[in-house]
Amino acid sequence: MSHSLSEAQIRAIEAQSPEGLSSQQLVAAFEDQGVKFSEANLRRYVQLGLVPRSRRVGQKGKHLGSHGVYPVRAVRRINTIKKLMAERYTIEEIQAKFLTFKDSIETLDEAIEELLSQFETRLEGEAPSARRDQLHDELRSIRAAADELLSGVYRLEKLLVSTSSAVRPRGGGAASPTELL
C-alpha cells in the first residue's frame, strides 16, 4: 500500500472532476489507488482546517436536496498531508508549518481568476471599438500584475515554510538524556 498518489494520478483525478468531488469520491480516489484514507480522516482534516470545507450543491430534480462537494484542490492537499505524515511529521506540525497560508493563497488565486474571467466575459460583449481595445490592454496588464502577485506570494510562502521546517528535530522515539537538558 502506497503512502500517497503520484502526480499523474492527481492530474487524472483533477481532469475527471474539475467541479469537485463528494466525500465518497474523495475517499475512493485514494483508496482505489492503494492509498489508505477514510471519511473519518477527511472529517478530521476538515475540522483541523487542513482541507477546505465542502460546499452544498443542489441536485437536479424535484425534492432531491443537496450534497457536499469538495474543491478538487482537496486531493492535492490530502496528498501533501499523506506525504508529510509518511515523513513522520505530526498533524500539529503539518497544520502549523506547512499549511498555514494555503487556504488564503488558494482563495486569492481563485478569486482573482474568477474576477478576471468576469471582466473578460463582459469585454467580449462589447462592440469592437477603440475603447474595447483599451479595456483589453488594461485587462492584459491587470492579468500580468495578478500573475506577478501570485508568483511572489507562492515564493514567499515557500521561503517561510522551508525556513520554519528546517528547525524540526528528526527522529521519533523518546528523547535522549541530553535532549532533556
Side-chain angles (χ1 to χ4, degrees):
M1 192 165 261
S2 176
H3 292 292
S4 61
L5 301 175
S6 69
E7 181 62 25
Q9 290 169 322
I10 292 172
R11 285 189 180 153
I13 294 165
E14 290 171 336
Q16 284 177 337
S17 307
E19 299 302 315
L21 301 104
S22 69
S23 58
Q24 294 86 0
Q25 291 170 318
L26 203 46
V27 169
F30 285 89
E31 289 287 333
D32 292 350
Q33 302 299 327
V35 178
K36 189 177 178 201
F37 189 64
S38 68
E39 288 214 36
N41 290 129
L42 176 59
R43 281 192 302 277
R44 181 164 186 238
Y45 293 173
V46 170
Q47 286 171 346
L48 292 171
L50 297 171
V51 172
R53 294 194 176 281
S54 64
R55 67 189 190 315
R56 301 305 297 174
V57 176
Q59 297 187 32
K60 292 182 180 169
K62 197 170 185 179
H63 308 295
L64 291 179
S66 64
H67 65 280
V69 175
Y70 289 88
V72 72
R73 74 174 190 257
V75 175
R76 283 190 185 275
R77 184 71 62 84
I78 292 165
N79 205 53
T80 299
I81 294 166
K82 300 293 280 176
K83 283 180 181 177
L84 292 170
M85 290 181 78
E87 293 174 17
R88 301 180 73 160
Y89 285 93
T90 67
I91 286 287
E92 292 76 20
E93 288 171 321
I94 293 168
Q95 192 176 23
K97 295 181 180 180
F98 295 97
L99 300 177
T100 307
F101 307 106
K102 284 277 185 236
D103 274 335
S104 296
I105 293 170
E106 288 169 354
T107 300
L108 175 66
D109 193 350
E110 289 169 359
I112 288 172
E113 187 52 43
E114 184 178 329
L115 179 61
L116 294 178
S117 292
Q118 288 174 357
F119 283 148
E120 225 168 276
T121 300
R122 180 78 178 262
L123 280 174
E124 288 169 6
E126 293 253 334
S129 67
R131 178 179 181 275
R132 180 180 173 199
D133 294 343
Q134 182 183 6
L135 292 172
H136 269 295
D137 289 345
E138 186 65 25
L139 182 58
R140 269 192 293 282
S141 173
I142 291 169
R143 191 171 287 283
D147 289 346
E148 192 174 322
L149 169 68
L150 287 167
S151 176
V153 167
Y154 281 114
R155 196 170 44 251
L156 179 59
E157 179 214 19
K158 192 172 186 175
L159 289 169
L160 285 171
V161 167
S162 66
T163 302
S164 66
S165 65
V167 296
R168 180 183 187 272
R170 289 287 175 197
S176 73
T178 56
E179 286 179 308
L180 297 173
L181 296 177

